[in-house]
Amino acid sequence: MTLDDHAEALASDLGVDKEEVKADLENLVEYSVPVEEAKSSLRRKYGDSTATGEPTAKDLADVSTSDSAVTVRGRVLTVGKRSIRYQGDDLVIFEGELGDESGTISYTAWEDFDLAPGDTVEALGAGVREWDGDPELNLGSETTIEFADESMTIPHDIGGERSLSELAPGDRGRTVEVRVAEVEEKVIDGRDGETAILSGVFADETGRLPFTDWNPHDEIEEGGSIRIENAYVREFRGVPSVNVAEFSTIEPLDREVEGGESAPRMSVREAVSTGGLFDVELTGNLLAVRDGSGLIQRCPDCGRVIQKGQCRAHGDVDGEDDLRVKAIVDDGTASLTAVLDADLTEEIYGGDVEDAREAARDAMDQEVVAESIHEELVGHEFRVRGTLSVDDYGANLEATEFAACADDPAERARTLLTEADEAGETEVAE
């Protein structure tokens, strides 16, 4: 929605001249006032009956995206601080969560109100905007923050300390203690040109998650155990990703954070129901090798798989040969597509890309590679570990490990039956 659209809708609601409203709106936005807060301010200026007088006092659970401004009372659960670019300007914002007896709500403060975790506050005239489908409080120039001497009792934890498994996209002001399992320096095309960042994997006792450090910190070294305060979490390829930024603080720990070597084991149904996992291990029967497996060609510019020399993004290209497997894995509870990269595919195929090219030339058929892989895999049980993403197109697991199950299915079935018989005999004896 453009600024002109906002002005037109607002002028229609208020019954005033659109150009006058647009000029006022542009002036507020130019001074970095968020659009929704600017609109609320103009409603009050032009005497909108829904915006005059004291904003409605509400419990946090009752705040909705249809509210323009509210008054709420609660305790500050978390406070994060980071810099953003808004309307072309670099700004420092504060963000986190408030909680009361009814629930919690996230907030963004465009001014430094000196909030601290544990404070009991009343926010008068807090703007409300929609963020990822939920209401969020906007604390700005139209908001008054009052601090209470007596603490409110609430059923929520104060502070941002979390394990990796407890993090979710949208979290702000989080504190984690992790081991740096993997780290590499990258150069990306950032908002100010080429920018060096760190990326990799954090691990703790509960699992592993990817991370990005936008202002590389010397303390983030592979194998090191560190405490990070003021991190925020975004979604990356369907899973939470820890973001370390300018105002994050990092301290080495005097202990080693354990865990992260193994992935949680789940049924396919359990894993898919989470909506996405960075690291999970599944076991199932391989039912089919999908089209697009075996010897394939990728675009040299973007890496997409091409068909008949055509890339969806770059048109006619000279493809580069690669190996891949897309396999349907089913454990009886549900199924997903496991995607194996070139390294894992080479282990299964028993040869590299050059071997695959030669086989395809000899047979005068590229599909001979996929057929060979099909014969090797289909009908057998495998253990697969990797990153699971779930979207409208289904569940896909980018495999990091793939191996045939060592135990014999028939023997395992006999063992289960024996255990069941013994359990039945015990019940009869009792």
Side-chain angles (χ1 to χ4, degrees):
M1 194 171 185
T2 67
L3 203 63
D4 193 67
D5 292 332
H6 283 294
E8 184 173 358
L10 188 58
S12 176
D13 286 347
L14 298 172
V16 296
D17 181 67
K18 172 190 169 182
E19 293 305 318
E20 184 178 353
V21 171
K22 183 179 179 181
D24 286 343
L25 196 58
E26 286 177 338
N27 184 56
L28 289 170
V29 170
E30 184 178 348
Y31 284 93
S32 302
V33 178
V35 171
E36 293 303 321
E37 185 178 334
K39 288 165 63 177
S40 297
S41 178
L42 292 182
R43 286 184 181 278
R44 289 188 285 273
K45 172 182 176 180
Y46 289 101
D48 182 8
S49 60
T50 64
T52 56
E54 289 294 323
T56 304
K58 289 193 170 188
D59 290 336
L60 296 182
D62 296 330
V63 177
S64 74
T65 55
S66 62
D67 292 318
S68 58
V70 295
T71 291
V72 295
R73 187 171 184 271
R75 293 190 72 180
V76 180
L77 304 181
T78 59
V79 180
K81 178 182 180 182
R82 63 187 175 102
S83 62
I84 64 169
R85 182 157 294 176
Y86 183 82
Q87 301 288 339
D89 294 326
D90 291 326
L91 303 175
V92 174
I93 62 171
F94 301 84
E95 53 189 2
E97 283 184 306
L98 295 180
D100 66 7
E101 291 184 351
S102 71
T104 64
I105 192 170
S106 62
Y107 70 86
T108 296
W110 298 85
E111 298 181 8
D112 186 358
F113 291 101
D114 199 25
L115 300 175
D119 287 344
T120 296
V121 299
E122 186 172 32
L124 298 87
V128 182
R129 68 168 181 170
E130 182 177 328
W131 182 256
D132 284 346
D134 296 317
E136 178 180 90
L137 299 178
N138 255 322
L139 313 180
S141 58
E142 300 291 326
T143 308
T144 300
I145 299 292
E146 296 181 352
F147 292 83
D149 293 331
E150 187 174 336
S151 294
M152 173 188 289
T153 301
I154 60 171
H156 311 293
D157 293 332
I158 305 296
E161 295 199 10
R162 298 290 188 275
S163 65
L164 291 181
S165 65
E166 295 173 318
L167 297 179
D171 285 351
R172 306 99 178 262
R174 293 304 188 209
T175 296
V176 293
E177 294 188 348
V178 298
R179 188 182 77 257
V180 184
E182 302 172 21
V183 62
E184 65 173 322
E185 184 172 332
K186 294 181 179 179
V187 177
I188 63 168
D189 186 12
R191 65 189 186 188
D192 295 315
E194 289 192 346
T195 304
I197 65 169
L198 298 179
S199 67
V201 177
F202 286 149
D204 70 4
E205 294 85 351
T206 67
R208 294 156 57 94
L209 282 182
F211 78 87
T212 300
D213 181 4
W214 300 99
N215 295 82
H217 292 76
D218 293 337
E219 295 87 350
I220 297 183
E221 296 181 331
E222 190 159 325
S225 293
I226 55 177
R227 176 183 174 88
I228 304 172
E229 297 183 1
N230 190 24
Y232 62 98
V233 184
R234 286 178 174 169
E235 184 176 296
F236 179 69
R237 296 181 179 175
V239 300
S241 175
V242 182
N243 284 253
V244 184
E246 177 184 357
F247 296 106
S248 302
T249 59
I250 302 178
E251 295 181 357
L253 293 173
D254 58 5
R255 66 179 182 89
E256 182 176 350
V257 175
E258 303 290 343
E261 290 81 8
S262 60
R265 299 188 67 176
M266 296 185 179
S267 70
V268 175
R269 181 183 295 277
E270 287 175 322
V272 171
S273 68
T274 67
L277 292 164
F278 177 67
D279 193 23
V280 64
E281 183 178 305
L282 311 168
T283 299
N285 293 307
L286 202 144
L287 302 185
V289 173
R290 295 182 54 185
D291 291 342
S293 297
L295 183 61
I296 61 172
Q297 284 73 44
R298 295 188 182 276
C299 173
D301 296 318
C302 66
R304 288 187 175 92
V305 175
I306 64 174
Q307 300 291 338
K308 298 180 179 179
Q310 290 286 318
C311 172
R312 286 179 296 170
H314 298 95
D316 288 325
V317 295
D318 292 326
E320 297 179 343
D321 288 333
D322 195 11
L323 288 172
R324 178 182 71 175
V325 174
K326 297 175 69 177
I328 305 298
V329 177
D330 190 304
D331 70 347
T333 67
S335 62
L336 53 72
T337 299
V339 182
L340 281 58
D341 64 11
D343 290 338
L344 291 175
T345 303
E346 285 179 7
E347 293 179 16
I348 295 163
Y349 178 61
D352 58 16
V353 171
E354 186 54 46
D355 295 320
R357 285 197 201 101
E358 185 175 346
R361 284 194 298 266
D362 291 344
M364 292 186 291
D365 183 3
Q366 181 172 314
E367 292 303 313
V368 70
V369 179
E371 291 169 2
S372 175
I373 293 171
H374 176 278
E375 293 176 2
E376 185 72 24
L377 299 182
V378 173
H380 299 288
E381 190 178 39
F382 292 89
R383 177 185 63 82
V384 57
R385 176 179 178 179
T387 298
L388 175 69
S389 60
V390 182
D391 57 27
D392 293 339
Y393 299 98
N396 293 276
L397 189 141
E398 297 285 342
T400 56
E401 297 179 11
F402 184 83
C405 289
D407 53 339
D408 177 40
E411 181 61 33
R412 188 166 68 251
R414 284 192 292 270
T415 300
L416 291 172
L417 288 172
T418 300
E419 291 175 352
D421 290 341
E422 290 175 350
E425 291 173 1
T426 300
E427 289 183 3
V428 171
E430 292 176 347

